[in-house]
Amino acid sequence: MSEELTVRDAAEFEDQRRPLVRALRAGAWALVALTLLSLIGWGYARDLPGIWGVLLGVGIGGGFVLATAASVLATSNSSPTTTMAVVLGGWLVKMAVVVLLLLWLRGFDFYDQGAFGVTTIAALVVALAAEAWGTITTRTAYMG
């Protein structure tokens, strides 16, 4: 009795960008879920200002985390030095933009500050956790 062994095509596991793509996808879906839950909760509790706080919080917190993963993915075919320069430069630009945006938003009262603060922190945590999960659960080949 000879059993036939089937070999799965390993080409899909050789793409080293797969963990980054999966991390971005997982982070985006986690932010969608957080946005929906937060809109329901804060919208019920604080009406329209709560909704604006949630949208601003998810945009700032989630955008901050997803932009880092996107910049790593965009430079994945370049040298490590280029990737490091883009990620570090992007992080510095993001910090400056966030600080300026927070200073600008401080003068407005159309959004609920509690909803904004809680949702921003939740978006950072949820997006980072989802990206980490997406990265560590992706199967890739160590050697091509």
Side-chain angles (χ1 to χ4, degrees):
M1 284 193 261
S2 92
E3 292 183 28
E4 244 183 78
L5 296 176
T6 58
V7 177
R8 288 182 61 182
D9 186 19
E12 67 178 290
F13 298 110
E14 292 177 359
D15 184 13
Q16 297 301 314
R17 296 167 30 112
R18 283 185 72 223
L20 293 171
V21 171
R22 189 160 184 224
L24 277 170
R25 191 174 299 130
W29 280 112
L31 286 175
V32 167
L34 174 70
T35 302
L36 294 175
L37 291 173
S38 295
L39 284 173
I40 292 168
W42 286 105
Y44 178 75
R46 306 285 167 88
D47 294 324
L48 191 58
I51 291 171
W52 278 112
V54 166
L55 294 175
L56 288 169
V58 168
I60 291 173
F64 193 89
V65 174
L66 291 180
T68 301
S71 66
V72 173
L73 182 62
T75 59
S76 64
N77 291 328
S78 62
S79 70
T81 305
T82 303
T83 300
M84 185 175 65
V86 169
V87 170
L88 179 61
W91 191 83
L92 291 172
V93 168
K94 287 187 303 186
M95 287 302 294
V97 168
V98 166
V99 168
L100 292 174
L101 190 59
L102 291 176
L103 288 172
W104 181 69
L105 281 174
R106 195 166 65 171
F108 294 101
D109 61 351
F110 68 92
Y111 67 98
D112 184 73
Q113 292 181 353
F116 174 69
V118 168
T119 307
T120 302
I121 292 169
L124 289 167
V125 171
V126 165
L128 281 172
E131 285 183 357
W133 177 82
T135 301
I136 64 175
T137 59
T138 304
R139 292 183 177 195
T140 57
Y142 292 108
M143 297 181 347

